[in-house]
Amino acid sequence: MQADILQELEQALAPDRILTQKEDLLPYSFDGTAAMKSMPGCVVFPESAGEISACLKIAGARKIPVVTRGSGTGLSGGSVPVEDCIVLCLVRMDQIEEVDPRNLTLLAQTGVITKAIDDAAAEHGLFYPPDPGSMKISTIGGNVAENSGGLRGLKYGVTRDYVMGMEVVLADGEIAWFGNKCVKDVAGYSMRDLFIGSEGTLGIITKVLLKLLPRPQARRTMLATYDSMEDAARTVSAIIAAQIIPCSLEFLDQVTIRCVEDYAKIGLPTEVAALLLMETDGHPHVVAEEALQMAEIAGEHGAVDVHTARDEAEATRLASARRTAFSALARVKPTTILEDVTVPRDKLTEMVHFINEVAGRYSLHIGTFGHMGDGNLHPTFLTDERDRDEMEKVEKALDEIVARTIEVGGTITGEHGVGLAKKKYLAHQFSDPSLALLKKLKQTLDPANILNPGKIFD
Amino acid sequence: MQADILQELEQALAPDRILTQKEDLLPYSFDGTAAMKSMPGCVVFPESAGEISACLKIAGARKIPVVTRGSGTGLSGGSVPVEDCIVLCLVRMDQIEEVDPRNLTLLAQTGVITKAIDDAAAEHGLFYPPDPGSMKISTIGGNVAENSGGLRGLKYGVTRDYVMGMEVVLADGEIAWFGNKCVKDVAGYSMRDLFIGSEGTLGIITKVLLKLLPRPQARRTMLATYDSMEDAARTVSAIIAAQIIPCSLEFLDQVTIRCVEDYAKIGLPTEVAALLLMETDGHPHVVAEEALQMAEIAGEHGAVDVHTARDEAEATRLASARRTAFSALARVKPTTILEDVTVPRDKLTEMVHFINEVAGRYSLHIGTFGHMGDGNLHPTFLTDERDRDEMEKVEKALDEIVARTIEVGGTITGEHGVGLAKKKYLAHQFSDPSLALLKKLKQTLDPANILNPGKIFD
């Protein structure tokens, strides 16, 4: 990075909040996505929207790319730097500014850890439902920029459903605020919805006003085991068809179960083909009734066993089987390529079957887990990026899985974002006029193309 | 309208689907908004997205404004024609194309009546919650274009929360589809959210894919009466603070109660200052418990009486008190100016008090009702547009109410849209960079400014 630009950035922030040495930059050259890496020119740590605005003005004047990140847990390469860019790392903007129990809202700076948001809500008996797998380390700003999902998406929806307002620094450095504490507001276009899930390409989210819910009074966690993955998928479809919308319906296949057991020693049955983690929460009466119904449906659809957690401790332990799935799989082989295809729920069985078939055909090692209740599967390729032949097969297998996903009316990404990883597939899902419109919006909001360029589309 | 343009439109559609005679155009010169009227050049009735595309190409080539409407029930002048425009009336696109109980979705053409959507869902034990006051006559396309609210918004949210996908004809005539049946999808910017609530200014919504819910098993309806409006507002705040989110918390003041009773003979107590219609739905156990809690809270906050509907028939009768409020008020004086200010819920008492104070100060006749649980009030001015002096006072009173709304963090419109009626206030709510961004989006999506020009902003 040129000395004069660094000097300007130092004036805008403070010298001790700029990293420029190669060894300091290295940890910021990648995110949670496998096999993607690129060195930034510098990393800056702004502490306010005003400082971010100053950085963007400096970057805009020289057309230097700016890549924003929080904790860097992204799984689609969304926060992987562009070569020689300025990385805006927002982890210092980490204050919860207000919890408002009368209006059920919480105002947080962008760098607050997601779990801290739910913890702060819990102190008032309130609840912030979105719980991406990364919630203990990911930032709320990253969650909003990626529109993160989570385990409770089935009943509670995703991050988008909880964003009432936000402060955004626009590409030209202007600072805008959209939204308010009103539960209904139809004044003007819904700008906040445009920034949610825009992956840092349209503006920089610096503050979010979140909606909270009353904390559920009770929950029940159950583990159903299966001799076939298809039976687990059929159970999920049957539960939805019975008009039950539980909190979570999470799925692990045998590969994943064995990795998790090996890693976390939870006591999972490693001989079964699949397990379904079912959780219902809410009013104690409803919870008891739904749990009973779900256990029955699981039994009718081939479950070998349905076990109900005896207490909160066991429930947490069972849930951790699902929460550690990705970490457990990531230990097995040097490279873990995590897919995120999502299909309409009635296509689940078909999709699960197809993924198995593809794995067999290419002799690949795939562990599949995911939010089955959302039709959101994470087939995970356990591979080694140094093995060129195998990587080629992985690529082909991925192409087939994505093609089939689109064919059955699914989406290339349910919760991880497009970033770099899914960019090549976007045109398969979007028609020409639809994709052209996305690009026009990018052009309108960021005419100099400095905000996370090359992500989502070229 | 010039003969050659009409000829082109006739070729694109069919001669019997174009109105050009003044007496035929008259019913299309206004919508549900008071004191706004303008004559279109013609009205066309397309039957497909292809026909709409053809119309837009014709209009675009000559830069003729196009105003889209359904049943014309809008309350902010959003579908009032621009002088000499082409009105696209979409009521013939009225087919429900699919109900999919396995994925809990419904696909409908834009001109389907909203109530017909919920009726079709009900046949499968499913539920389309958004219920704007106009739902028996308004179209789903209009609801989506205005992001309509309704009586159940408190628990179930608004139209936006139920739109999973849509077909849109863009200004240049291209036909685009956004969304799918996946409950999670983060591929690309959320274009559907941009079109929802865009009031016909960014594109023409021709088809919508809607999310359905399981139909609630039980409901309970209660009527609490008060000697003061403030007590009713305090009850609402206390219910929310107690973390109860019922289906509806609807409010009528004395003026409205008397008009409704006079009109609908429901048997309402006409001597009370205010009444609160409280409805909870869902699982029978939860309903019973919440009803009890709400009755207690009402009692603690000054309710003179809390009456629970004995059966479904009485519940429907009580609910109709609220549903007929607007019609009942509209009978009293020649002109009914319906406000739609919305405030954070903890500002309700203050706002109700302020509206009363303003009415007194200007000696105006205001009936107030609304979705109190959402902080969404409909102070309704009963006046006569021919009385210039009074209309001036109405204008001033409105300005004061809107100013105070914004001051307490509210919005100029909770569910009716900006249209023509609220246009002058938009800049009070949006900062300069925010408003500039709205205008840039309009310019990007509709560079020739043919789609409902002059609505939302100039």
Side-chain angles (χ1 to χ4, degrees):
Chain A
M1 181 122 313
Q2 283 172 253
D4 56 338
I5 300 169
L6 288 174
Q7 210 171 9
E8 283 183 45
L9 288 170
E10 275 176 17
Q11 273 163 10
L13 281 79
D16 66 336
R17 289 196 271 120
I18 305 182
L19 304 179
T20 55
Q21 298 302 307
K22 200 177 165 198
E23 62 274 22
D24 293 333
L25 299 182
L26 211 58
Y28 299 91
S29 65
F30 56 89
D31 67 5
T33 321
M36 287 181 184
K37 192 174 280 197
S38 179
M39 284 296 278
C42 68
V43 179
V44 302
F45 296 87
E47 294 184 348
S48 69
E51 288 187 354
I52 294 172
S53 169
C55 292
L56 289 192
K57 283 175 184 165
I58 295 165
R62 321 274 191 126
K63 298 210 195 300
I64 302 167
V66 174
V67 176
T68 309
R69 60 173 276 156
S71 306
T73 54
L75 292 167
S76 60
S79 57
V80 169
V82 174
E83 203 71 30
D84 290 327
C85 74
I86 300 170
V87 165
L88 291 185
C89 183
L90 305 187
V91 295
R92 295 204 185 187
M93 294 172 67
D94 62 352
Q95 296 303 304
I96 293 177
E97 297 193 348
E98 184 196 58
V99 183
D100 179 350
R102 297 196 64 191
N103 287 305
L104 307 181
T105 62
L106 184 152
L107 182 67
Q109 292 179 352
T110 192
V112 175
I113 301 298
T114 308
K115 185 166 184 307
I117 299 219
D118 187 42
D119 289 347
E123 282 175 28
H124 298 266
L126 296 171
F127 184 35
Y128 176 70
D131 60 342
S134 57
M135 72 181 295
K136 284 186 187 170
I137 40 171
S138 60
T139 62
I140 190 68
N143 288 184
V144 174
E146 298 291 325
N147 188 18
S148 303
L151 276 65
R152 303 184 189 117
L154 178 54
K155 176 171 173 180
Y156 291 105
V158 295
T159 304
R160 181 183 302 282
D161 301 311
Y162 296 88
V163 180
M164 299 180 76
M166 57 169 65
E167 183 187 68
V168 184
V169 184
L170 304 174
D172 59 4
E174 287 279 8
I175 300 171
W177 173 266
F178 300 102
N180 49 53
K181 287 187 183 176
C182 299
V183 293
K184 286 157 77 179
D185 179 14
V186 295
Y189 309 139
S190 183
M191 296 308 303
R192 64 175 182 272
D193 276 302
L194 191 59
F195 290 106
I196 298 166
S198 67
E199 308 193 23
T201 64
L202 299 181
I204 309 213
I205 298 161
T206 48
K207 211 176 269 190
V208 287
L209 178 69
L210 301 170
K211 169 176 139 178
L212 303 176
L213 295 184
R215 208 158 184 89
Q217 298 163 39
R219 71 164 170 158
R220 192 163 299 181
T221 305
M222 291 176 294
L223 200 68
T225 51
Y226 295 86
D227 281 338
S228 98
M229 279 170 73
E230 284 83 355
D231 282 348
R234 288 197 307 123
T235 299
V236 168
S237 295
I239 288 171
I240 305 294
Q243 304 194 0
I244 301 169
I245 311 284
C247 175
S248 301
L249 286 175
E250 295 287 321
F251 165 83
L252 274 69
D253 73 354
Q254 193 178 54
V255 173
T256 312
I257 294 167
R258 289 181 176 176
C259 291
V260 165
E261 190 51 30
D262 192 44
Y263 172 62
K265 314 272 186 269
I266 289 166
L268 299 177
T270 52
E271 294 314 308
V272 301
L275 64 79
L276 207 55
L277 185 79
M278 309 190 290
E279 196 163 279
T280 158
D281 71 357
H283 189 285
H285 274 288
V286 180
V287 165
E289 202 174 292
E290 280 189 355
L292 200 65
Q293 283 176 290
M294 289 197 289
E296 271 176 26
I297 292 172
E300 287 160 16
H301 290 82
V304 178
D305 179 55
V306 182
H307 171 75
T308 302
R310 279 175 302 272
D311 52 28
E312 192 62 17
E314 194 188 0
T316 304
R317 198 159 49 80
L318 293 181
S320 76
R322 170 59 190 85
R323 292 212 174 263
T324 56
F326 178 50
S327 314
L329 287 168
R331 290 168 69 236
V332 179
K333 289 289 279 293
T335 308
T336 317
I337 296 185
L338 181 60
E339 253 306 316
D340 181 36
V341 291
T342 303
V343 295
R345 292 186 278 223
D346 68 333
K347 304 295 182 196
L348 259 179
T349 313
E350 179 182 341
M351 214 42 217
V352 162
H353 184 76
F354 183 73
I355 291 168
N356 277 346
E357 191 260 310
V358 167
R361 188 145 41 80
Y362 287 98
S363 308
L364 289 170
H365 205 192
I366 302 184
T368 298
F369 64 97
H371 316 292
M372 215 173 220
D374 301 327
N376 186 187
L377 299 169
H378 295 313
T380 306
F381 294 77
L382 311 179
T383 181
D384 185 341
E385 56 184 303
R386 293 161 302 186
D387 180 343
R388 286 295 199 87
D389 286 354
E390 187 163 283
M391 285 303 280
E392 223 167 82
K393 287 198 286 178
V394 166
E395 191 83 354
K396 280 185 189 153
L398 269 174
D399 287 352
E400 282 199 38
I401 290 171
V402 170
R404 176 63 68 96
T405 300
I406 293 172
E407 216 175 286
V408 301
T411 173
I412 58 172
T413 174
E415 58 179 11
H416 293 167
V418 177
L420 289 173
K422 294 299 185 74
K423 199 163 71 163
K424 73 167 179 172
Y425 298 125
L426 193 68
H428 302 196
Q429 185 171 335
F430 280 69
S431 68
D432 289 348
S434 309
L435 191 57
L437 198 50
L438 295 194
K439 292 181 179 177
K440 265 193 215 168
L441 286 183
K442 166 69 174 171
Q443 166 70 20
T444 303
L445 271 83
D446 178 22
N449 196 28
I450 59 167
L451 296 177
N452 213 6
K455 307 296 167 67
I456 306 182
F457 44 70
D458 282 314
Chain B
M1 180 124 315
Q2 285 173 250
D4 54 340
I5 300 170
L6 288 174
Q7 210 170 5
E8 284 183 44
L9 288 170
E10 275 175 18
Q11 273 161 10
L13 281 79
D16 66 336
R17 289 196 273 119
I18 304 181
L19 304 178
T20 54
Q21 298 302 308
K22 200 178 167 197
E23 61 275 22
D24 294 332
L25 299 181
L26 211 58
Y28 299 91
S29 66
F30 56 88
D31 67 5
T33 321
M36 288 181 183
K37 192 175 279 197
S38 179
M39 282 297 276
C42 67
V43 178
V44 301
F45 297 87
E47 293 182 351
S48 70
E51 288 187 355
I52 294 172
S53 170
C55 292
L56 289 193
K57 283 175 184 164
I58 295 165
R62 321 274 190 127
K63 297 207 193 302
I64 302 167
V66 173
V67 177
T68 309
R69 60 173 276 155
S71 305
T73 54
L75 292 168
S76 60
S79 57
V80 169
V82 173
E83 203 72 29
D84 290 327
C85 73
I86 300 170
V87 165
L88 292 185
C89 183
L90 304 186
V91 293
R92 294 205 186 187
M93 296 172 69
D94 62 352
Q95 296 303 303
I96 293 177
E97 298 193 349
E98 186 196 56
V99 183
D100 180 350
R102 297 197 61 192
N103 287 306
L104 308 182
T105 61
L106 184 151
L107 182 67
Q109 292 179 352
T110 193
V112 175
I113 300 298
T114 308
K115 187 169 182 305
I117 299 220
D118 187 41
D119 290 346
E123 281 176 28
H124 298 267
L126 296 171
F127 183 36
Y128 176 71
D131 60 340
S134 56
M135 72 181 296
K136 285 186 188 170
I137 41 170
S138 60
T139 63
I140 189 68
N143 287 184
V144 174
E146 298 291 325
N147 187 19
S148 302
L151 276 63
R152 304 185 189 118
L154 178 54
K155 176 172 176 181
Y156 291 105
V158 296
T159 303
R160 181 184 302 283
D161 302 311
Y162 295 87
V163 180
M164 299 180 76
M166 56 169 66
E167 184 187 65
V168 185
V169 184
L170 303 175
D172 59 5
E174 287 279 8
I175 301 172
W177 173 266
F178 300 103
N180 49 53
K181 286 186 183 176
C182 298
V183 292
K184 285 157 78 179
D185 179 13
V186 295
Y189 310 138
S190 184
M191 296 307 305
R192 64 175 183 273
D193 277 303
L194 191 58
F195 290 106
I196 299 166
S198 66
E199 309 192 24
T201 64
L202 299 181
I204 307 209
I205 298 160
T206 48
K207 211 175 270 191
V208 288
L209 178 68
L210 300 170
K211 169 175 138 180
L212 304 176
L213 295 184
R215 209 157 185 90
Q217 299 162 38
R219 70 164 170 157
R220 193 163 300 179
T221 306
M222 291 177 294
L223 200 69
T225 49
Y226 295 86
D227 281 339
S228 98
M229 280 170 74
E230 284 84 354
D231 282 346
R234 288 197 307 123
T235 298
V236 168
S237 295
I239 288 172
I240 305 294
Q243 303 195 0
I244 302 168
I245 311 284
C247 174
S248 302
L249 286 174
E250 296 287 321
F251 165 84
L252 273 69
D253 73 352
Q254 192 177 56
V255 173
T256 312
I257 295 168
R258 289 181 176 175
C259 290
V260 166
E261 191 49 32
D262 191 43
Y263 172 62
K265 315 272 186 270
I266 290 166
L268 299 177
T270 51
E271 294 314 309
V272 301
L275 65 80
L276 207 54
L277 184 79
M278 310 190 289
E279 196 163 278
T280 159
D281 70 359
H283 188 285
H285 274 290
V286 180
V287 165
E289 201 173 292
E290 279 189 358
L292 200 66
Q293 285 176 290
M294 289 197 290
E296 270 175 28
I297 292 172
E300 287 160 17
H301 291 81
V304 178
D305 179 55
V306 182
H307 171 75
T308 302
R310 277 175 304 271
D311 51 29
E312 193 63 14
E314 195 187 358
T316 305
R317 198 158 50 80
L318 292 182
S320 76
R322 169 60 189 82
R323 292 210 175 264
T324 55
F326 178 51
S327 314
L329 287 168
R331 290 168 69 237
V332 179
K333 290 288 280 291
T335 308
T336 317
I337 295 184
L338 181 59
E339 253 307 315
D340 181 36
V341 291
T342 303
V343 295
R345 291 186 279 223
D346 68 331
K347 305 293 182 196
L348 260 177
T349 313
E350 179 181 341
M351 213 44 216
V352 162
H353 184 78
F354 183 73
I355 291 168
N356 276 347
E357 190 260 311
V358 167
R361 189 145 41 80
Y362 287 99
S363 310
L364 289 169
H365 205 193
I366 302 184
T368 297
F369 64 98
H371 316 292
M372 214 174 221
D374 301 327
N376 186 187
L377 300 169
H378 294 314
T380 305
F381 294 76
L382 311 179
T383 179
D384 185 340
E385 57 184 303
R386 294 162 300 189
D387 181 343
R388 286 295 199 86
D389 286 354
E390 188 162 283
M391 285 302 279
E392 223 167 83
K393 286 197 288 177
V394 166
E395 191 82 357
K396 281 186 186 153
L398 269 174
D399 287 352
E400 282 199 38
I401 291 171
V402 170
R404 175 62 69 96
T405 299
I406 293 173
E407 215 175 286
V408 301
T411 173
I412 58 172
T413 172
E415 58 178 10
H416 293 168
V418 177
L420 289 174
K422 293 298 184 78
K423 199 162 72 162
K424 72 167 181 171
Y425 298 125
L426 193 68
H428 301 196
Q429 185 170 336
F430 279 69
S431 68
D432 289 347
S434 310
L435 191 57
L437 198 50
L438 295 194
K439 292 180 178 178
K440 266 194 215 169
L441 286 183
K442 166 69 173 170
Q443 165 71 19
T444 302
L445 272 83
D446 178 23
N449 196 27
I450 59 166
L451 297 177
N452 213 6
K455 307 295 166 68
I456 306 182
F457 43 70
D458 282 314

